[in-house]
Amino acid sequence: MTAVASANSTLSGVSNPPLTSEELSKINAYWRAANYLSVGQIYLYANPLLREPLKIEHVKPRLLGHWGTTPGLNFVYAHFNRLIKKSI
């Protein structure tokens, strides 16, 4: 038996229960916060917490990044973060 087959056979017997409502709300909050920070990094030079009214000077003239992939990547990061913290 190879190492891959051995690893797959041990994983196949593991039962993963659904997330509790507390886990789900924490992941949702993490994901929303990560998306908020990502938007700030992509679109803004300054004032990411909007402590003053948003002005045209705060917005970058040339965007660096891609909003199309960001929410999906943040979703994956949020769930991997949960798995990593669970395994520690």
Side-chain angles (χ1 to χ4, degrees):
M1 184 184 294
T2 66
V4 173
S6 175
N8 287 338
S9 64
T10 58
L11 290 177
S12 64
V14 175
S15 168
N16 291 325
L19 298 175
T20 65
S21 60
E22 181 183 357
E23 287 175 321
L24 191 58
S25 68
K26 285 182 179 180
I27 287 177
N28 187 26
Y30 181 101
W31 185 58
R32 287 183 293 123
N35 286 336
Y36 181 88
L37 292 172
S38 298
V39 167
Q41 290 175 333
I42 292 172
Y43 291 100
L44 299 178
Y45 270 133
N47 193 20
L49 298 178
L50 302 176
R51 291 191 172 150
E52 60 182 81
L54 195 58
K55 299 177 187 170
I56 194 69
E57 297 86 35
H58 297 148
V59 180
K60 294 177 183 177
R62 182 173 179 271
L63 303 180
L64 299 173
H66 190 284
W67 178 246
T69 59
T70 302
L73 289 171
N74 287 338
F75 182 81
V76 171
Y77 296 152
H79 283 280
F80 276 148
N81 185 50
R82 175 183 63 88
L83 293 173
I84 291 167
K85 289 176 75 173
K86 194 174 190 177
S87 69
I88 294 178

